[in-house]
């Protein structure tokens, strides 16, 4: 692999660190995803070392995500907004509206030609409308987040969760269970509550089709299904939604 | 005793000391802390600004028993108070100062522990906290003899000043200004005019003298001159690259708010205008490497001015205009010293916050064109609701109709607890990337 042009993109998120090594012809040559370690700099260094062992010591690193400042090897920092837009365009080749639901924040980006950012909004102030909302509920329901998505997608029964607040939703779940409501319909209701919150935010932009979904939560079939219902449009998902941001970062690395 | 201490501490020693400090400061401004590799060195006028503000509060410290004191809202018709010789103090400006000195959190907590909600305007919380604890970065605030609240900025001031009236047991004059949707109706002007006339009667009682109409006319003239000059200063921001940034404007706007109607204020703004024009002649820009020009909507984030200025300047972003600083320049056309009370009624009915959200949108559009702007930052201010309402739609319409990128930035004008540094900077970075800066 040595001798060719390469770039590394590393997306240090609040729940996971994603690294992508991309070759000059824009193919993903290697990638790694790990839960974020409290010692972010060391973790990033190790992942970068592993990637550089494959492609060479000089491969430039572009860092993105909340922990981007902690990546010592970075040649450049680019924000997640720009990286997600670029990454999604790379995978899907479409302009449109990109929704990214992360562990602790969510963003909606109007993606233009070539993956440029035309407009964006984000929520990083409140856990409702982020992956955290489902994580919290999962703990209450003694389910894993992965199971929840399949349960939500596998039922048509649904109760309406009226609290958008993560804390209040938890007590609502407790009382629904106490009333004997079955778990799948609660789970689907929770997914609806999360999606509605994100869609309300998306509507502050002009939602141009197609709608694309990235971020860790994009793999969740329940979210995919309900999002498509709520926006009334088909939802496209990149091949590997979790590494969209890292791929975008790596593409910025190829520019330099 | 108090007359003596006023004369000695304020009129002689204080004024002289402050003048000496200004002379010293004007020679050593280069020592300022802002990163001058990114931003032009502070305007030379800064030493004078500092002197004016310090003197204002120093006077307040010793004025009790010498002159009657009025506490007023920032949008109150102040000219008749000045003409009557009252010492005028602005609690909102005091709270902004508390913001820059980063003491709002402590003061606000004092107010909150007495039951004032955290949802209240942080200016109100800071000032009420200062009242309850007696703590203020200016040493001491003079006790008011009169309170004047004008509702042309928000309804909060109405309740806030009622609290003050109860606390100090002094007369409160409320000037109620009907909201303007399109144009001020003759009835609205008449209604406000009558209230100002009544306010004059109350103020005369407090002052213990009759208002001299020639002095009122003169005060209005001076007020108008200062406002016109302020508008001229701001308009120099149209020059590319801009000689003055919104951060300069935030710092040097205090006199036009607090000292309108005084001779020295007019001289001050004339000097500021000269200096800004000199900068244009010398090709000096406020942001060293100006690449993109942006509009700011809403109040400043007082406790992070420097960090924001530097972060943006590092990416070549210059904020060159704002709806906020512009508010004090906007009303000069309506000021007519030959019809003092009626023109005051018109002026004080018309501030941006007393008009519809559509008006603000059209103003922003106009500014985007006039100042050749590439983007808009809308500070969504947690505790100033009247300024923030409508921003979600304004943002969308600016983007859609003018094609200028606009960013909603969540923070608060004085309370740092509503400011999340990482998130704010991350949004600004994304915005900068989107602008191509
Ligand atoms: S609420 Fe807004 S307009 Fe009213 S006093 Fe506070 S900052 Fe000023």
């Amino acid at each position: 692999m040595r001798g060719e042009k390469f770039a590394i993109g590393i997306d240090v998120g609040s729940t996971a660190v994603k690294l992508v090594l991309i070759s000059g012809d824009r193919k993903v040559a290697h990638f790694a995803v790990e839960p974020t370690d409290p010692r972010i700099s060391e973790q990033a260094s190790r992942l970068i070392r592993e990637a550089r062992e494959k492609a060479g010591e000089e491969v430039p690193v572009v860092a993105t995500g909340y922990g981007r400042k902690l990546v010592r090897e970075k040649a450049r920092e680019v924000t997640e907004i720009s990286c997600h837009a670029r990454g999604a365009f790379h995978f899907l080749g479409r302009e449109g509206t990109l929704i990214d639901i992360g562990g602790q924040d969510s963003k909606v980006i109007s993606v233009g030609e070539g993956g440029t950012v035309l407009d964006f909004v984000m929520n990083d102030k409140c856990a409702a409308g982020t992956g955290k909302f489902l994580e919290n509920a999962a703990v209450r329901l003694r389910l894993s987040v992965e199971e929840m998505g399949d349960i939500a997608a596998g039922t048509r029964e649904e109760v309406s969760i009226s609290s958008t607040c993560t804390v209040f939703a938890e007590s609502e779940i407790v009382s629904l269970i106490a009333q004997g409501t079955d778990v799948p319909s609660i789970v689907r209701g929770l997914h609806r509550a999360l999606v509605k919150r994100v869609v309300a935010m998306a509507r502050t932009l002009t939602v141009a089709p197609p709608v694309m979904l990235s971020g860790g939560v994009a793999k969740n079939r329940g979210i995919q299904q309900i999002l498509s219902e709520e926006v009334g449009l088909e939802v496209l998902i990149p091949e590997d939604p979790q590494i969209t941001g890292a791929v975008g970062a790596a593409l910025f690395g190829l520019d330099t | 005793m108090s007359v003596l201490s006023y004369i000695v501490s304020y009129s002689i020693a204080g004024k002289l000391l402050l003048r000496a400090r200004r002379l010293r400061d004007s020679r050593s401004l280069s020592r300022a802390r802002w990163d001058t590799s990114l931003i032009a060195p502070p305007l030379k006028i800064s030493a004078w600004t500092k002197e004016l503000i310090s003197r204002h509060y120093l006077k307040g410290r010793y004025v009790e028993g010498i002159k009657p004191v009025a506490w007023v809202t920032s949008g109150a018709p102040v000219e008749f108070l000045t003409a009557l010789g009252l010492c005028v103090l602005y609690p909102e400006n005091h709270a902004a100062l508390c913001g820059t000195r980063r003491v709002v959190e402590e003061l606000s907590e004092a107010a909150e522990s007495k039951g004032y909600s955290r949802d209240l305007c942080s200016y109100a919380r800071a000032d009420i906290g200062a009242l309850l604890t007696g703590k203020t970065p200016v040493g001491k605030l003079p006790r008011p003899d009169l309170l004047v609240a004008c509702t042309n900025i928000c309804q909060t001031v109405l309740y806030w000043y009622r609290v003050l009236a109860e606390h100090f047991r002094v007369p409160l004059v409320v000037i109620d200004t009907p909201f303007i949707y399109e144009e001020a109706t003759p009835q609205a002007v008449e209604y406000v005019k009558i209230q100002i006339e009544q306010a004059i009667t109350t103020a005369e009682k407090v002052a213990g003298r009759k208002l001299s109409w020639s002095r009122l006319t003169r005060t209005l003239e001076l007020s108008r001159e200062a406002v016109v000059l302020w508008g001229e200063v701001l308009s120099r921001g149209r020059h590319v690259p801009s000689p003055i940034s919104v951060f300069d404007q935030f710092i040097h706007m205090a006199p036009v708010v607090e000292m309108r109607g005084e001779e020295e204020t007019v001289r001050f703004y004339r000097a500021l205008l000269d200096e800004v024009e000199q900068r244009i002649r010398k090709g000096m820009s406020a942001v060293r490497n100006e690449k993109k020009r942006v509009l700011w909507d809403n109040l400043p984030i007082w406790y992070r001015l420097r960090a924001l200025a530097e972060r943006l300047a590092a990416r070549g972003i210059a904020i060159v205009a704002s709806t906020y600083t512009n508010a004090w320049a906007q009303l000069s056309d309506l000021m007519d010293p030959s019809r003092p009370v009626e023109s005051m009624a018109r002026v004080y009915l018309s501030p941006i916050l007393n008009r519809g959200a559509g008006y603000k949108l059209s103003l922003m559009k106009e500014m985007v064109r006039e100042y050749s702007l590439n983007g808009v930052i809308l500070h969504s201010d947690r505790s100033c609701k009247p300024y923030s309402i409508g921003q979600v739609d304004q943002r969308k319409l600016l983007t859609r109709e003018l094609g200028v990128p606009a960013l909603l930035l969540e923070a608060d004008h004085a309370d740092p607890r509503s400011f999340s540094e990482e998130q704010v900077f991350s949004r600004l970075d994304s915005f900068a990337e989107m602008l191509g800066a």
Side-chain angles (χ1 to χ4, degrees), chain A residues 66 68-69 77-83 117-125 202-206 252, chain B residues 311 392 395-396 399-400 405-407 410-411 418-420 422-423 425-427 429-431 433-434:
Chain A
Y66 268 116
R68 63 181 182 275
K69 298 218 156 28
E77 287 174 32
V78 182
T79 65
E80 295 149 275
I81 300 283
S82 303
C83 289
V117 177
L118 301 179
D119 200 359
F120 70 91
V121 271
M122 62 196 293
N123 159 37
D124 47 15
K125 290 236 157 189
R203 297 228 185 271
T204 69
L205 303 180
T206 306
F252 279 110
Chain B
R311 184 77 168 214
V392 171
R395 196 201 80 83
K396 194 167 179 172
T399 312
R400 195 185 287 168
L407 174 78
E410 289 155 338
S418 299
F419 183 87
S420 150
E422 262 315 303
Q423 292 167 351
F425 285 157
S426 177
R427 266 187 185 62
D429 286 346
S430 299
F431 186 62
E433 285 167 7
M434 183 164 80

Side-chain angles (χ1 to χ4, degrees), chain A residues 101-116:
Chain A
I101 306 177
Q104 303 224 336
D105 65 6
S106 44
K107 328 170 189 48
V108 182
I109 307 166
S110 295
V111 182
E113 180 56 36
T116 52

Side-chain angles (χ1 to χ4, degrees), chain A residues 197-214:
Chain A
R197 180 99 188 191
V198 178
V199 170
M201 181 170 77
R203 297 228 185 271
T204 69
L205 303 180
T206 306
V207 181
V211 169
M212 301 169 266
L213 186 61
S214 71

